């Protein structure tokens, strides 16, 4: 035995570059390790999903005739880290070389590079854009706007293209995708699976080891292999894609899924291929099953935002998660971990996060993320929360979404302006406000929506930075036209609210 081949928990793809290079004489190394399970307090569902999917993938590799050294978390010989397991297996098998596909986190790349055994790190070819392609696209641009990168990905893949023109003569149909949802809509939700024997064994392990982590372990309904993931894709295409576009930004009380695909768990772990998903959606459009606004919006999330976020993460380098352009330093409120809050929108987003390890993009961006940005919470703490609580969160995709898009902590690399809003946006896109203790229409006083107060407080705190931003000028002009007494009251009430937040009082 001379070579080890590493497969990580988010690399569960037979097309993985390291596996393509592997021979039957190589030893595949897979391990459930404490370091990866606990560097942030991961949601128990995420840990259970990852370990179960890893065990099933290891069995698939063995069935294909490959040698696999798989170490379970409770194995007494478990070294506790990826690098520790590689060194242990290298010693046991007299291995002199390690082959790996590039991890999606800088900390793991650095750990592999520091090993005393020669390591060859291959590109992760499961993505559409290589690092060089993204760097070439970014070079010389004053602004790295996703929309223009997305168009390049459309041209490259041919998805929704009519020769050299976009299908429907428009690149983007987003203006059609902002309808508030009605409670009368029939929303079936994602395909759910009963735990099998392997899954139940992992659930017991996770219950025993991670019982104190935020999040409900059961009911556990995720698919845990590629076949189940493909069934979930087919279920989404058939049942939800036709209405996905219209309501992709909508939010409803006690409706965590609406028409969203809930495929990011499987895609980001490697159980689904991005082009497999996009081709299925494109075919639904060609067959007349789903309208172009739904299909284009869905494909844009995958070959646009997903690829773009990975490009930003690797372009910006290992220090990206420490960026704090707005110098925010407030602690993360306890209600992000399930403590009481009178804000119904926050309560809904956090509750479904606890129950499902999932919230859709508007809940993440315009509810929890919006509040964190308005309140001036430390972006690194916000980043670690998102990384911990969502089953689809891996640093390459989560960090640019949080540090860049949600918290504007990168100073405008991802977004041309902060994604901030008052309570009016939440009221427009949801039914949350009708069941809230606060009034979205009230601008000051004890019953005023906290988003209303903090919105103006944020803008005034950062006026020097944003007043000349062409997309924000109208906001400041509106503020300047307000009665001075009203302005003073709003800022005073915002200060009182933030003082209660700092004191740990219920808001």
């Amino acid at each position: 035995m001379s070579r080890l081949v590493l497969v990580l928990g988010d690399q569960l793809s037979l097309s993985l570059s390291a596996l393509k290079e592997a021979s039957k004489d190589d030893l595949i190394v897979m391990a459930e390790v404490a370091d990866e399970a606990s560097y942030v307090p991961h949601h128990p569902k995420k840990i259970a999903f990852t370990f179960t999917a890893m065990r099933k993938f290891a069995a698939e590799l063995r069935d294909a005739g490959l040698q696999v050294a798989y170490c379970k978390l409770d194995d007494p010989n478990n070294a506790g880290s990826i690098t520790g397991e590689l060194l242990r297996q290298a010693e046991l098998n007299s291995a002199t070389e390690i082959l790996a596909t590039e991890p999606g986190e800088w900390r793991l790349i650095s750990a592999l590079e520091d090993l005393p055994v020669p390591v060859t790190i291959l590109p992760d070819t499961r993505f559409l854009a290589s690092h060089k392609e993204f760097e070439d696209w970014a070079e010389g641009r004053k602004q790295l706007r996703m929309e223009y990168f997305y168009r390049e990905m459309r041209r490259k893949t041919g998805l929704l293209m009519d020769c050299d023109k976009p299908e429907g003569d428009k690149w983007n149909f987003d203006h059609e995708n902002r309808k508030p949802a009605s409670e009368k809509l029939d929303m079936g939700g994602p395909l759910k699976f009963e735990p099998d024997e392997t899954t139940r064994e992992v659930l017991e392990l996770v219950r025993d080891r991670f019982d104190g982590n935020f999040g409900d372990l059961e009911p556990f309904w995720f698919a845990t292999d590629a076949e189940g993931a493909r069934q979930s894709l087919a279920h989404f295409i058939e049942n939800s894609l036709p209405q996905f576009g219209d309501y992709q930004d909508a939010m409803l009380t006690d409706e965590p899924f609406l028409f969203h695909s809930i495929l990011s768990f499987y895609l980001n772990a490697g159980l689904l291929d991005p082009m497999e998903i996009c081709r299925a959606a494109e075919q639904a459009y060609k067959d007349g099953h789903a309208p172009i606004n739904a299909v284009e919006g869905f494909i844009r999330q995958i070959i646009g935002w997903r690829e773009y976020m990975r490009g930003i993460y690797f372009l910006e380098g290992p220090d990206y998660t420490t960026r704090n352009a707005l110098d925010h330093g407030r602690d993360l409120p306890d209600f992000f971990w399930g403590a009481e809050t009178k804000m119904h929108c926050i309560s809904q987003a956090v509750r479904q996060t606890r129950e499902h390890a999932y919230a859709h993009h508007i809940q993440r961006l315009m509810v929890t993320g919006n509040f964190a940005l308005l309140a001036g919470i430390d972006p690194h703490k916000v980043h670690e929360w998102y990384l911990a609580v969502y089953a689809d969160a891996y640093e390459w995709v989560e960090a640019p979404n949080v540090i860049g898009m949600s918290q504007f902590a990168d100073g405008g690399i991802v977004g041309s302006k902060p994604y901030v809003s008052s309570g009016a946006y939440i009221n427009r896109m949801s039914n949350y406000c009708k069941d809230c203790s606060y009034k979205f229409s009230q601008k000051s006083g004890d019953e005023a929506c906290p988003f209303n107060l903090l919105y103006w407080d944020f803008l005034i705190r950062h006026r020097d930075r944003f007043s000349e931003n062409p997309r924000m000028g109208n906001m400041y002009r509106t503020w300047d036209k307000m009665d001075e007494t009203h302005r003073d009251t709003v800022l005073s009430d915002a200060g009182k609210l933030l003082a209660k937040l700092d004191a740990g009082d219920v808001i």
Side-chain angles (χ1 to χ4, degrees), residues 140-208:
R141 292 177 182 265
K142 292 182 179 179
Q143 295 182 321
L144 304 181
R145 295 294 165 253
M146 188 281 295
E147 178 66 25
Y148 300 109
F149 172 76
Y150 164 59
R151 295 179 187 184
E152 291 301 312
M153 292 297 99
R154 287 273 294 277
R155 294 185 183 101
K156 178 177 180 176
T157 61
L159 287 164
L160 293 179
M161 295 296 293
D162 181 6
C163 296
D164 60 345
K165 297 189 303 182
E167 191 73 38
D169 293 323
K170 288 192 293 187
W171 292 102
N172 187 315
F173 291 82
D174 215 21
H175 67 281
E176 299 178 25
N177 295 342
R178 297 180 179 132
K179 296 177 184 176
S182 165
E183 297 168 52
K184 298 178 182 179
L185 288 167
D186 181 16
M187 294 163 285
L191 189 61
K192 296 182 179 181
F193 297 81
E194 285 294 322
D196 59 13
E197 183 178 353
T198 302
T199 307
R200 288 194 296 269
E201 180 182 313
V202 172
L203 290 175
E204 285 301 315
L205 171 68
V206 173
R207 185 179 293 108
D208 180 60

Side-chain angles (χ1 to χ4, degrees), residues 392-500:
D392 58 2
Y394 300 92
E395 195 171 89
W396 64 265
V397 67
E398 174 275 326
N401 269 294
V402 174
I403 296 296
M405 188 178 184
S406 171
Q407 299 304 296
F408 203 80
D410 66 3
I413 294 169
V414 169
S416 59
K417 73 173 187 67
Y419 279 86
V420 291
S421 77
S422 66
Y425 175 86
I426 296 171
N427 180 65
R428 185 167 67 252
M429 296 309 303
S430 77
N431 65 355
Y432 290 162
C433 298
K434 74 175 187 178
D435 294 320
C436 190
S437 300
Y438 298 104
K439 293 181 171 60
F440 79 91
S441 59
Q442 193 153 323
K443 310 303 180 185
S444 62
D446 291 342
E447 292 187 328
C449 172
F451 285 84
N452 292 345
L453 299 173
L454 296 179
Y455 175 76
W456 291 115
D457 186 75
F458 171 88
L459 291 179
I460 300 312
R461 289 200 319 267
H462 297 294
R463 183 163 193 158
D464 288 347
R465 176 183 285 269
F466 296 124
S467 61
E468 299 303 316
N469 186 307
R471 297 184 64 193
M472 300 181 71
N474 284 338
M475 304 173 191
Y476 288 101
R477 284 188 285 274
T478 297
W479 172 261
D480 291 340
K481 291 176 183 177
M482 292 180 188
D483 177 79
E484 184 176 357
T485 301
H486 176 68
R487 294 198 306 254
D488 290 344
T489 300
V490 168
L491 295 181
S492 175
D493 288 349
K496 293 174 185 176
L497 183 73
L498 290 171
K500 290 178 69 175

